[in-house]
Every structure is written in C-alpha cells, then in structure tokens.
C-alpha cells in the first residue's frame, strides 16, 4: 500500500493499551492527604482473596492511593492458600471484571460429579452409581473451576497494579483498631500498624477487616464467632497421583466401607501433570473396624469429645492419610506418582461458625468498621465455598462503600448510611445459610451410605444425591437471594408510588405519559433459579443480538463490574408505534429520569421482542433510544427467548433496575417510570 | 477451618504464575555466544506484526536471547500502524497462543456486512440491498475483529517479554546484509546494524527480513517485487462519527451514484466512543460529475496515467475525503463527532505486487535469508488481509526454522533443508492468490454497481455479492490450501509405503498388526472448507467431550502453538474389542511409533465414535491409550458429529498427522501406521 500522506492524532497511541475500567464520578470534594498525614478514606486489613477483591474494586471505582490503603502482614505476594475452587457465580463476577480468561484457560473445569458407593458385588467393593452434572443450575459457566488460591490472588494483584502504584503494603501488621470520634470525627477509625517493626497510627473514615479466621479486627471490635465444632477429622492433600481409579479426573464422592473420600480434580501444572486434591476421612479411633457407626459411640459430653478429638488430630500424618485413602479406593490402587508429587497437605476438623455482626457503628450510627471473608465465617472446605463467599462479601461491600465515599448516595433519616447498612443484612443472611448448608452437607458426607443404622441421617444414596442437587442453587452461588431492603424492593410490598418522596418531573419534557401508574408485578413465574426476574437475585446471563451491528453478545458483558446501575427495559411488541407504551416509556426515561442522576452512573439496556416488522432503523424508534442505548439495544428472540427466561410477557414488557453487583433491585411494569425513579432516588442523589 | 497442621512443598508457589509454553527439545548442542561475540542463530529485522510474531514464536520454542536477536529501527513500542483487521484464521492462531482474550473482549466483532446500492426511489438515493454474515465459512470464530494494529503489537511484545529479557532491540537499523560463507560458513549471513548511530556487524545462521514494504533485506538480496499499480485513489480515515446512517456499526459496502465507501466499524475507545474507519473513493479528476465511467476516460499510456495519478493524489486532503464521503452517504449525514475526533487519515493508490522469491540460499543450497510480511507482498487494505497474511508468513516459517536449529529435522539429500524450502513454496502460493484476489476485489469495489456501461466488470449487485461470498474462504484465512510437498502428502499421489525409506519395527513389541497396509484414502467427501480432512488445509475446530472428566472442549485447545506435531486418531466402532483394528493400531502407535521420535514432540489425540457400550473405563482399552492420551481422549458424537465433519466413516476410522502450525500433513487409514510413520520420518529425526 503506497501511502503517500498520512496524519495521526496523538490520542491514537493510547489505543494500544489494555482497557481501563472508567472510575465512578465523585460528587464529594476530591480527597487529598495534603494537610492530614496518615489519614485515609478506607483502610483494608489483609490481602487474601477477600481483601484483594475489595481493594481492587475500590481502586477501579476511582479511589486513589492517597485515599485507600491495603496492608498485609506477610512479606510477599505468594500465599500458601488452601482454597482451590471457584463457583459459577464467582466465575461470572471475574468475567465482568475482565479477569476470567486465565482462570478459564488454565484452571480445571469440573463439569461432572461421580458417586461411588458400596457394591453388591463383593469383588468390586465399590461401584459408580451415578455421574451427574456438577452444576445443575443455569449460569454463564455451568461448571466449577479448580485452581490454586495463590494464583487467584496473583491475578487480582496484577490487575490492582494497573490502578494503584502502591499496591499492597506488605509486612504491615494490624496491632490494634478502635473507634475514637473525640479527636477526629471525620476520621474516627484509629488503626495501629506495625511495618517492618516500626509502629505508626493511621486514621480512616472506614476500615475493613479481611484478616482471616483469627481476625484482629474482629477481636478488637468485640465481635463474636458463634457456632460449634464437630468432631469429624479429615485429611486433605494436593498431589499428582498414580492410580487406576477410572474417575480420578472427575469430582467424586466416594462412600466406601472403609471410609469416605472426596476427589477434586485440579489444574495442570508446569510439568504437564495434573494435580488432584483428596479429602480423606480419618476414621474415629473409637470406631471398630467392623463399621459400626461412630456417632453411636460418640461420648455424650461434648467438651470431652473435643479434647479427645484434638488428641486424635495430632496423630494424623501424611502416611496415615494415604493409608486411609488407599483403603477407601479398594479395589483400585492410588499413590503419589513419584517422589515430590505431594504439593501440600493438612488435617482439620469440620466446624461452622459465624460472627454475630459484620459491621460496627460509631456513636452517630454510621457504619465505620466492617469484616469480610473468613473473619466473618468459618466452615468446612468440602463444598468449595470459602474463597467464593469471601470474595462475594467484598463484591457486595465495595460499591456501597465507594458510593458513600464519592457522595453518590442520598441520606435518608434516621439511618445515616442506609445503603452501607445493607452490607450486614445481606451478607449475614448468606453466611447463616452457608453455615447451615455446610453443617448438613458435612454431616451427611461424613456419614456412611447404605448402612441402615447410620445415626447421622440414615442416608441412602438417593437422599445424598438429592441434597447435593438441591443444594446446588446455593453452592453454585447462583441461587442466593438477598432480603428486602432499600436496595431490594419486593413487589409484594405494594410500595405505592403516590406516597413516595420522589417524583418524576414530566414538566421538563414534552412527553406526557398517558399511563396510569401500575404497581402490579409484571413478571410471571416463580422459577427464579432459572432466570425469572426477582429482586434480590442476580440477573441471569442471556445471549442476544445487537441491533446496531448484528453482534451476538452476552448480557453479562453489558453489565461489567464498573460500579454502574443498569436500567433494563424489555419493551413490548408495540415498540415501532410512536404513541405506544414502549416508545412513550423510552422517551420519558431518556428525557425525565436518566438526566436527573449523575452522568454515566446509570446505563440503559433495551431489549425488544419479535415485532410486526423484522427490519427497522433508528428512524422508527424514539431518539432517546439511540441517544442512551445505541450499542445496548438488542433483539431478545433471535438467539434465546429472553422474555421467556425472564418471565416477561412480550405484549406487556417490563423494566428492572440492576444494582452495580448484578443483583436485581426492583422490577416495574413498562410505563411505571415512577417506580423506577423512586427506586433509583433511594440509591442515588439527583443532580 | 481450624487447620492444625499443614505442609507445603516449595514447588507449590510456582503454581501461581501464568502458564508458560514448554520449549521444544534441542538435539543439537546448546548454543552459546561465549566464544563467538555478535553471532546469533537467527536475526529478525523489523518488529511489526510479522517480526513480532516470528520472534515470539522462536522465543517460545526455546531460542534464548543469546541465540535470537530482533532489531527495529523505531525508538518505541508504539506504532502508528495502518492495519486494523484480524481474520477468523488469525483469531484461531492467537487463541492457540493464549493471546486472543483481550482481542476478543475489547475488539470490535464484525459479524455482518450490509450492502448499499443506488435506490430506485429517487428520494432515498441509496438503499440497503442485503445484510449477510461477514464470515460464511466454518471457523472457531465466525467473525472478524477490528482493533488497532499497535495494540496487536503491544500484546505480542508483552508476551515476548515473558520469554525474552531483551525483547526487541530498538533504534537499530539494518544498513546492509550479505551472505559471506568464506569467513565463517556456519554463520554466513552478515548484517551491518546501526544502533543509536553506532555501527556494528553481526553474523547469523539465518536472517529474516520483516522490514516492510521498503525492505532493506529484500533490496540487498536482489529480490524483486513484481506487479503493477492501478490508479484508483482512495482515502482512509479513522474517526468517531456523528451520523444518522443506520448501518454505521456494520461493515458496509456502499456503492452510491456519488462514489464508493467502505465502512469498517472499529473498537470502543477509552472515552466510551466507538471508532469507525471509512474507505472513501476519491473520484478521478477526469471524470465529470455526471457519472460517466472513469475507465472509459483513462489515458491509454500507463506511465502517463501513473504520473497523472501521482499529481492528483497530492491534492487529496482530509476535507476532500470528508466531502466525498458526505456525497456518497446522501441522503444521510456523516461528519466527525466533534473536534479531535479524527485519529488518523491517509490517501493511497491501490497496487498489488509480490516478490519473486521469499528466500535466498547460500552456495550449498541452504536457505539463509527469508522475507516475511509486507516485504514479500503489497496490496490494497480493503479486504483486511495485510496484517493477517504477514503474521501467517511468520507462523509458517517459525516452527520450520526452530526445528532445523534444534536438530529435529532429518536431512534428505539432495535438498539440505527440505522443510525450510517449503516456506517459499507454501507462502508464495498464498501471496500470489492474495494478489489475484485483491486485484479482482479492488477493481470491483472501485467500479459502480448498476451502471450497465461499467468498463471494469459491468458488475451487478448480485455478482458483487457472489464474489464477496466465494472469496470468503480465502479472505477468512480458513480456506487456504498449501501445495503438495514433503510436509503436505496428498493421498492421490499413491505414495507406496513399500518403497518408503522408513519402516515400522514391530519386532520391539508383542503387537502384531493383522492388517495389510492400506493406502486408500479413508476420507469421504470433498467439502474441505467445511471440515473434510485434507492435507494442506488447516484442521477445523470441533467440540468434543473428554472421557476422563466429561469436559466439553474445543479441539483447537488441544493443539496449542507449542510447536508440536499432533497425531489424530479417529478410532472405529470396534475400539472395545481388544483384537480389533482400533486397539491394535493404538498399541502399535504407542509401542512402535511414538517412542521412536524425540520426547514430547508428538502429541496423540484420540477420538471415538458411538460404541456398542456407552460406559466403559480404561480397563476396556489398550494401556497405550491411557499412557499417551489420558487427557486427550474424546467421544466424537455427543457434542458434534466429529466423524461427519471430518469425513470419516465411524466403521472404518482414520488417522491424520497435524503439523505444528495446525495444517493437516497427511491422512491415513486406521491401521496404516506405516503411512503415519513414513510421514513423521520425513519431518522428524528418530532417536
């Protein structure tokens, strides 16, 4: 191509960099440390998955290194973490952060679970009784991924360094934290840190303890872990195995006469070998080898039992774990492939505990200190929940904190920060469910299948399978539902827009809505797990085809984790009628609702059902549609029946507000812009 | 989880790093500069897409910074490149390098093309006559992606720095290159470089000119660009547009009475805006405004015409390009969205030229100097081929060069490096096809649609659409076919294995093949574009389900660009019969063929059709299957009809050898291990 003349703008060179997440607008005055040394808006203690996730999100939302400090007691970036599993919902979140690719490419996909139980054929000892999908609920990724926790942390930290020049401040231990409003009411949280032996005091508006099961923050704040420890002892080992067991690359629940084993296939490592994780039940000393159930023999005195368990725990060795595994795998052999094949091993007792409070308020009722992750809840690892629930704590908290700090939320008396208050109500609910699920699942798993006198549950294989499958909504992270609150508006509350303290000013526009406000729930169906729109639940991904360019896209790619609210408008079939309810609603939203809120904080996604005419152009739709949604306007019937998935009648349409974390906040009838505006007005200041 | 004891191996910390591509084994002595300063095995001149791709591949294959030097005349990493399009085949290759994710996430997917032509309705002026898929052939990604060339270069260079501490040596200009065997026959290529004004001479075994259209390497080697320049003048501009044209986000071919425009939608930039590229035909001065065809008026004397064109080119301005675009878009308006919306613009004339040779030999007939990319071929940009064909030149050359350097290829007299010789024969073939296609496509595109007296082609819209669609196999990169050679063994050649100089030693194994060697082509069908196995064509991706863990996978993820050969075995339905042809073949391959070649250089992928029993385990298949293919053994019927796609009869099975660049080298009947071994023996040394 013999170009003879060309001219390039300097901006063009910027096109070569990776995309950055756009920061949130800040309505409060910019923060600077200039006159207030060692004062931060947020201090995060701990840089495990929960702390890193929180720090990364806050940095992406626009908090600078002057505003945000994250400390960690350990010297380096590499962690010998125990977790290895990412649930479908966590994968969805990583995808919306643009961080899923390495995990999906290099991690081990667990797509199937095999169940092995005692065989009627004595020679076989055990037999495969079922293979079922590992994830039974709709999700963007219908599988789990296993991969080293340290790798997740490294991925988060690498991305953090694109937004923060300091990154994590290492070798920095939290010594003490307290709330002291007397000296400085704006920065009431006082943290004493020790960095490389040097002590210093930092003050902050907010402090988050992501400092693990032995949280100093939790202890200093006087929060209590409530719960109990059970006495089942398990060994866990990561290794490269040599075995003739047929399902070694599937997740397996093996209930053998000699004990229980769970197989977790893991990622391929640099040698080209594949790791396997084994959870191996260590039989109780008190249980005779003939298989009489251990629980029958359990001492009545719980305290004595715990002392006893502790003594037995100390006897667990790697060799004993292998021996128990070998017994349970009979007639198949299993052993470490060769010297050095063992990565890591540990022994533990199952215990479930949860903190009574996740937040601490100052004297004015403002939430000042938060705990996330293992600092809030501890439980057994076998359901693969820990790292996931921990990161999701941070994912829930981060946008709320950023909105308050940036001055984007309105204050509604008498609660100073009503949105921040939902962190405890939402995540404590989930933590309690987690603990309950884990208690049931662990007990079941430690029990024996097919032994009629099993004191724990008398569980049959079918019952176990049933619990496994029904628990999938919870364990996948896709079925959780946050309780009603300011930011989860259930329709049955019949909140009346007439009594709302927010109103739509239609005077500013020539559009007059011919609609009588309708507060009836526009959604039909109750199968929320399969996508029916439901406030408090995450919006299920769908695929749809874009009007502007015919691209086939995933809805989740239109709700990236950039801290924005999304207004989802599913028009009715009358879209091409300029006086119809669809066009009228789009004009009202574009002229009277969206302009009221801070620029760029609400993104509108519009979907249409099959219309009378297949081909139409922007000429045939309201100008406001192209203005706000040129690249977010889709047909919802060509690739997938979006209306059916979400429970929306194409003849009626519907609207939904989706929170920055991807959970539905409210649904409204098409035309009910009052409800939408009322909900948004509770979450966002108007400008 | 109250862990009381844990133990981690030091290797565990390694698990947190991104995956590295494993280097190729090296049978030649390791290379060191210790006693031979400024001597390299390979010098690459130029770090555009072609040079970076070559350098990255060689570094991944294991060439160290001591062995490999890449220089570039420019000072920085950012390039103001003109290319913006990645074809489906190029996307497939980037995926096999693990480098597709950012491109797919942030690039603009072109899924549809709209054709606009003169309207019968005078008020409309132009009308959309068709929307068709942009990519009409099967491919892993059925769309193109547009994204800034500088970003592609940055992605390649970022990855290069994981394998090379030096990276690209910048500010280093090639002054002269020559072959001089007299002074040093092992390092006969003498390059004179100038780095920051300092001259030095480096010697190398091989030198590759990736130094663009004005290649110094090509000039010094006396290679000639052959071809012609046409006199159509086009302007090209990248900008953020303001328009009411309905298809501005689709690729468009607009033939208006006022001239031709091609619209190329581009990626979203940091402002949230989307770029658009416009190719705008600049009408010939000699053409009156009434639309009389320019070719009728063309001066007869070609030299005079070129002089004339050059004069006219110099008058092209950005403003004139916008004016011509505005005319062609009538009745729609189009303009830059606001000040500073123009990224880059240029004017050019269409020309197609190709070098007569891509390689230069020394006196012994050894290929020593190569040219790749724009140094070999120049053509118009509108078919979006340039950057793609250039990188594919390097993709073709890299593994051949690495194999020769590492001592992995056998020498078959009289040709010293028969595999290296295929670089010219394969890529020159493609370059000639490219030039021919581009000449036809460009002429057509510059012509007018619907004007019966069009002197170029007298083209109707239907004819244009036809050429566009049939050209898609070529333009997508998915339909190219390399000619027969040592590494492309066509079946119709009826190469007889009896006369082959390679034999299978079955004495080393207890397996006796009950098969009479069959050289008949086991593949039925000829629709190679749709996947039918064909030597010389790239292996089409399929999805299949893995035996070991039930994972749904893409075959292309099992043929990453790590420089390995792949042996694809499609068993027949008799796999579970220990004496059947499938089991016998797998045993023969595992015991007598695969062990003969350097370790890890051949990877075996095994696919089976629906068998008599759905459930079976490793007990039911030969030990060699699990030994070589535990994690590469698939069912080929559950997700996709792999046998149908590839043209293999499930009752018969088949085998194929896939080259390191993903092209099929040979196909063989199941059981015909002689053919497979003979082919491999031509490509690889035996150990």
């Amino acid at each position: 191509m013999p170009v003879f003349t060309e001219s390039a703008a300097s901006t063009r060179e910027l096109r070569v960099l990776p995309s950055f997440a756009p920061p949130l607008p800040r309505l409060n005055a910019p923060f600077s440390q200039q006159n207030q040394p060692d004062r931060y808006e947020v201090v995060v203690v701990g840089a495990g998955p929960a702390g890193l996730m929180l720090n990364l999100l806050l940095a992406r939302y626009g908090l600078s290194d002057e505003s945000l400090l994250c400390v960690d007691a350990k010297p380096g970036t590499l962690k010998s973490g125990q977790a290895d599993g990412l649930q479908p919902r966590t994968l969805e979140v990583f995808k919306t952060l643009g961080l899923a690719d390495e995990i999906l490419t290099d991690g081990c996909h667990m797509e199937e679970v095999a169940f092995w139980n005692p065989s009627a054929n004595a020679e076989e000892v055990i037999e495969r009784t079922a293979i079922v999908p590992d994830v039974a609920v709709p999700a963007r990724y219908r599988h789990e991924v296993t991969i080293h926790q340290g790798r997740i942390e490294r991925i988060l930290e690498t991305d953090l360094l694109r937004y923060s020049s300091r990154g994590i401040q290492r070798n920095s231990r939290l010594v003490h934290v307290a709330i002291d409003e007397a000296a400085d009411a704006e920065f009431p949280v006082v943290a004493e840190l020790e960095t490389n032996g040097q002590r210093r005091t930092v003050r902050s508006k907010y402090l988050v303890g992501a400092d693990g099961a032995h949280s100093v923050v939790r202890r200093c704040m006087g929060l209590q872990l409530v719960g109990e420890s059970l006495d089942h002892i398990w060994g866990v080992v990561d290794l490269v195995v040599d075995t003739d067991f047929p399902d070694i690359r599937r997740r397996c629940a093996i209930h053998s006469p000699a004990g229980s084993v769970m197989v977790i296939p893991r990622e391929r490592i640099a040698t080209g070998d594949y790791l396997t994780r084994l959870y191996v039940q260590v039989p109780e000393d008190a249980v005779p080898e003939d298989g009489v159930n251990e629980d029958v023999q359990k001492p009545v005195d719980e305290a004595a039992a715990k002392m006893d368990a502790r003594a037995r725990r100390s006897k667990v060795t790697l060799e004993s774990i292998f021996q128990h595994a070998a017994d349970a795998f009979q007639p198949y052999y299993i052993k470490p492939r060769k010297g050095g094949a063992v990565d890591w091993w540990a022994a533990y007792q199952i215990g479930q505990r949860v903190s009574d409070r996740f937040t601490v308020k100052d004297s004015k009722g403002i939430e000042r200190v938060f705990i996330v992750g293992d600092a809030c809840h501890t439980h057994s690892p076998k359901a693969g929940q820990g790292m996931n629930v921990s990161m999701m704590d941070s994912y829930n908290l981060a946008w709320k904190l950023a909105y308050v700090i940036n001055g984007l939320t309105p204050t509604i008396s008498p609660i100073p920060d009503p949105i921040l208050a939902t962190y405890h109500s939402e995540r404590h609910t989930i933590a309690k469910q987690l603990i309950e699920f884990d208690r049931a699942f662990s007990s079941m798993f430690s029990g024996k299948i097919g032994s009629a006198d099993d004191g724990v549950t008398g569980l049959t294989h079918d019952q176990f399978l049933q619990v496994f499958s029904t628990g999938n909504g919870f364990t996948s992270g896709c079925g959780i539902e946050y309780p009603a609150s300011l930011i989860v508006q259930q329709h049955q509350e019949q909140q009346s827009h007439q009594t709302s303290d927010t109103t739509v000013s239609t005077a500013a526009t020539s559009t007059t809505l011919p609609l009588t406000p309708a507060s009836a729930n526009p959604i039909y169906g109750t199968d929320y797990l399969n996508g029916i729109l439901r406030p408090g639940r995450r919006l299920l991904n769908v695929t749809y085809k874009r009007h502007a360019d015919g691209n086939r896209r995933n809805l989740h790619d239109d709700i990236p984790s950039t801290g924005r609210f999304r207004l989802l408008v599913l028009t009715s079939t009358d879209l091409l009628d300029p006086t119809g309810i669809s066009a009228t609603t789009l004009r009202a939203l574009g002229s009277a609702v969206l302009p009221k809120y801070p620029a760029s904080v609400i993104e509108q996604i519009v979907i249409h059902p099959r219309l009378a005419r297949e081909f139409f152009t922007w000429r045939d739709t309201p100008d406001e549609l192209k203005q706000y949604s040129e690249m977010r306007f889709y047909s919802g019937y060509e690739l997938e029946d979006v209306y059916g998935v979400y429970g929306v009648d194409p003849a009626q349409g519907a609207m939904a507000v989706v929170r920055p974390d991807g959970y539905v906040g409210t649904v409204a009838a098409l035309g009910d812009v009052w409800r939408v505006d009322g909900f948004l007005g509770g979450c966002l200041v108007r400008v």
Side-chain angles (χ1 to χ4, degrees), chain A:
Chain A
M1 187 177 76
V3 169
F4 81 98
T5 173
E6 64 174 322
S7 164
S10 58
T11 51
R12 192 161 189 262
E13 303 282 280
L14 297 175
R15 311 282 183 254
V16 308
L17 299 174
S19 296
F20 275 76
L24 285 170
R26 183 169 177 127
L27 302 186
N28 283 338
F31 179 78
S32 162
Q33 285 190 337
Q34 223 161 3
N35 299 312
Q36 32 198 5
D38 270 349
R39 271 167 171 74
Y40 295 89
E41 296 194 287
V42 183
V43 170
V44 179
V45 181
L52 276 166
M53 174 64 83
L54 182 67
N55 204 42
L56 173 59
L57 286 166
L58 292 175
R60 281 175 171 235
Y61 294 157
L63 268 60
S64 69
D65 279 358
E66 279 194 85
S67 159
L68 172 65
L69 174 69
C70 182
V71 298
D72 192 86
K74 299 194 184 62
T77 56
L78 304 189
K79 307 286 288 282
S80 58
Q82 294 83 20
D84 65 357
L86 293 177
Q87 302 294 339
R89 175 60 189 153
T90 312
L91 293 173
E92 288 182 351
V93 168
F94 270 79
K95 181 66 180 173
T96 65
L97 288 163
L99 299 178
D101 297 318
E102 182 181 335
I103 294 166
L104 290 170
T105 301
D106 289 343
C108 169
H109 295 206
M110 289 204 300
E111 300 209 359
E112 293 184 343
V113 190
F115 295 88
W116 286 74
N117 287 299
S119 173
N121 177 340
E123 268 184 40
E124 287 289 335
V125 189
I126 53 174
E127 65 181 17
R128 181 204 283 156
T129 44
I131 291 182
V132 302
D134 182 56
V135 175
V137 303
R140 184 163 186 183
Y141 308 101
R142 289 189 73 151
H143 55 79
E144 298 175 72
V145 168
T146 54
I147 195 165
H148 188 313
Q149 174 184 331
R151 190 158 183 174
I152 303 299
E153 295 179 7
R154 196 261 307 145
I155 290 169
L156 291 170
E157 184 160 24
T158 300
D159 196 60
L160 172 65
L161 291 171
R162 299 173 60 220
Y163 296 89
S164 159
S165 55
R166 184 202 298 120
I168 306 299
Q169 190 165 91
R170 304 260 167 204
N171 280 315
S172 296
R173 184 172 68 88
L174 178 72
V175 179
H176 189 74
V177 62
I179 296 179
D180 163 35
E181 294 158 85
D184 186 340
E186 195 187 351
F187 297 86
V189 187
V190 185
E192 196 170 349
L193 302 176
E194 187 180 284
T195 301
N196 297 318
Q198 298 285 317
R199 291 231 175 164
R200 63 169 172 148
T201 300
V202 302
R203 279 184 169 268
S204 59
K205 294 178 178 172
Y206 306 97
L207 181 139
V208 184
D211 50 348
H214 303 288
S215 171
V216 173
V217 176
R218 189 183 66 221
R219 181 170 50 75
C220 292
M221 290 290 112
L223 302 175
Q224 301 294 326
L225 281 185
V226 180
E228 57 178 306
S229 275
L230 299 185
D231 68 347
H232 299 292
I233 299 178
W234 286 77
V236 53
V237 54
D238 290 344
L239 77 167
V240 177
V241 296
D242 178 8
T243 183
D244 60 351
F245 180 66
D247 282 337
I248 196 64
R249 293 306 305 167
R250 286 188 175 85
R251 182 178 174 191
C252 293
I254 303 173
H255 283 95
S256 118
S260 295
V261 172
M262 180 169 269
V263 177
I264 305 288
R266 285 276 303 268
E267 70 271 22
R268 190 180 193 186
I269 58 178
T271 57
D273 296 316
Y274 290 79
L275 282 180
T276 301
R277 169 167 289 194
L278 299 177
Y279 288 106
V280 182
Q281 188 179 20
V282 178
E284 310 295 313
D285 288 339
V287 181
E289 287 299 312
D290 64 6
V292 172
N293 185 275
E294 66 264 38
D295 288 80
V296 177
Q297 309 284 329
K298 199 165 67 176
V300 181
D301 181 327
E302 282 291 333
K306 284 183 183 175
M307 289 293 291
D308 182 42
R310 219 166 269 133
R312 284 180 287 132
R313 258 191 333 206
S314 68
K315 293 181 195 149
V316 177
T317 62
L318 182 58
E319 289 65 34
S320 69
I321 294 174
F322 281 140
Q323 188 54 55
H324 295 306
D327 292 345
F329 272 90
Q330 285 296 336
Y332 301 98
Y333 76 88
I334 186 164
K335 59 188 181 190
R337 186 166 295 182
K338 57 195 170 235
V342 174
D343 251 30
W344 172 81
W345 72 276
Y348 67 92
Q349 279 186 294
I350 293 168
Q352 294 89 16
R353 294 193 296 169
V354 61
S355 178
D356 50 351
R357 288 285 314 165
F358 286 11
T359 66
V360 177
K361 299 178 172 123
D362 67 12
S363 67
K364 298 185 210 69
I366 301 174
E367 323 265 346
R368 291 296 188 181
V369 177
F370 306 80
I371 53 175
V372 296
D374 285 354
C376 306
H377 35 69
T378 69
H379 49 88
S380 86
K382 277 193 301 299
Q385 294 298 301
M387 179 163 60
N388 298 274
V389 175
S390 293
M391 290 192 289
M392 291 306 101
D393 287 344
S394 294
Y395 191 64
N396 183 283
L397 176 60
W399 69 272
K400 299 171 182 176
L401 211 43
Y403 269 61
V404 170
I405 288 170
N406 280 10
L408 296 170
T409 53
T411 298
I412 300 169
S413 58
I415 306 171
D417 291 317
I419 287 190
L420 267 186
T422 64
Y423 168 66
H424 172 82
S425 64
E426 294 191 338
R427 296 307 297 176
H428 191 258
T429 301
I430 302 306
K432 280 189 299 184
Q433 292 172 1
L434 167 64
I435 297 312
E436 280 156 28
F437 171 81
D438 188 57
R439 190 172 291 143
F441 187 71
S442 293
S443 294
M444 287 195 328
F445 199 77
S446 295
K448 284 193 179 65
I449 296 282
S451 104
D453 58 349
D454 186 316
V456 181
T457 57
L459 206 64
T460 68
H461 166 62
D462 285 346
Q463 288 171 318
F464 183 80
L465 198 55
Q466 176 75 16
V467 173
F468 180 86
S469 297
T470 55
N472 212 235
F474 185 80
T475 56
S476 67
C478 299
I480 70 166
E481 181 175 318
Y482 290 138
S485 72
L486 177 71
I487 56 175
V488 175
Q489 187 184 37
Q490 295 299 359
H491 226 280
Q492 51 266 46
E493 295 164 21
Q494 293 293 341
Q495 174 190 313
S496 169
H497 53 86
Q498 286 93 339
T499 65
S500 167
D501 63 343
T502 59
T503 55
V504 177
S505 161
T506 50
T509 164
S510 60
T511 304
T512 50
L513 274 177
L515 322 163
T516 52
S519 64
N521 188 346
I523 306 302
Y524 66 85
T526 55
D527 190 357
Y528 307 125
L529 202 54
N530 279 301
I532 300 298
L533 292 181
R534 167 78 172 173
R537 295 207 174 220
R538 78 97 163 69
L539 184 68
L540 180 65
N541 184 51
V542 291
T543 54
Y544 47 17
K545 193 170 176 187
R546 187 152 61 189
H547 176 80
D549 58 10
N551 272 16
R552 289 157 289 190
R553 287 176 58 84
N554 287 281
L555 181 139
H556 275 197
D557 290 337
D558 286 319
I559 57 169
S561 292
T562 53
R564 269 62 181 181
F565 278 82
R566 274 84 190 199
L567 174 53
L568 186 67
V569 181
L570 293 114
T571 79
S572 72
T573 46
D574 74 355
L575 174 62
L576 301 182
D577 173 4
T579 63
I581 192 167
S582 299
T584 310
T585 300
L586 289 168
R587 279 197 299 270
L589 292 171
S591 62
V593 177
L594 295 173
K596 284 206 290 200
Y597 296 96
S600 94
V601 168
I602 305 171
E603 295 172 345
Q604 178 182 266
I605 300 170
V606 181
I607 307 176
H608 70 83
R610 186 185 294 278
L611 306 176
R613 277 158 48 204
E614 188 173 357
F615 285 104
F616 60 93
T617 72
W618 297 115
R619 286 179 182 177
D620 305 309
T621 57
D623 292 345
E624 289 83 356
L625 173 60
K626 188 182 178 203
Q627 181 188 350
Y628 283 98
S629 300
E630 179 178 4
M631 297 301 272
R632 290 190 293 264
F633 176 46
Y634 295 90
S635 85
Y637 63 93
E638 286 171 275
L639 306 183
E640 200 173 337
D641 175 16
V642 175
Y643 284 68
V645 169
Y646 286 156
V648 176
D649 177 357
Q652 302 296 324
M655 293 187 286
V657 177
V658 183
R659 306 172 359 174
D661 52 9
Y663 290 77
V664 176
T666 192
V667 294
L670 191 67
D672 192 355
V673 293
W674 295 269
R675 186 177 175 91
V676 166
D677 190 50
F679 179 84
L680 289 170
C683 303
L684 288 166
V685 293
R686 297 189 171 126
V687 291

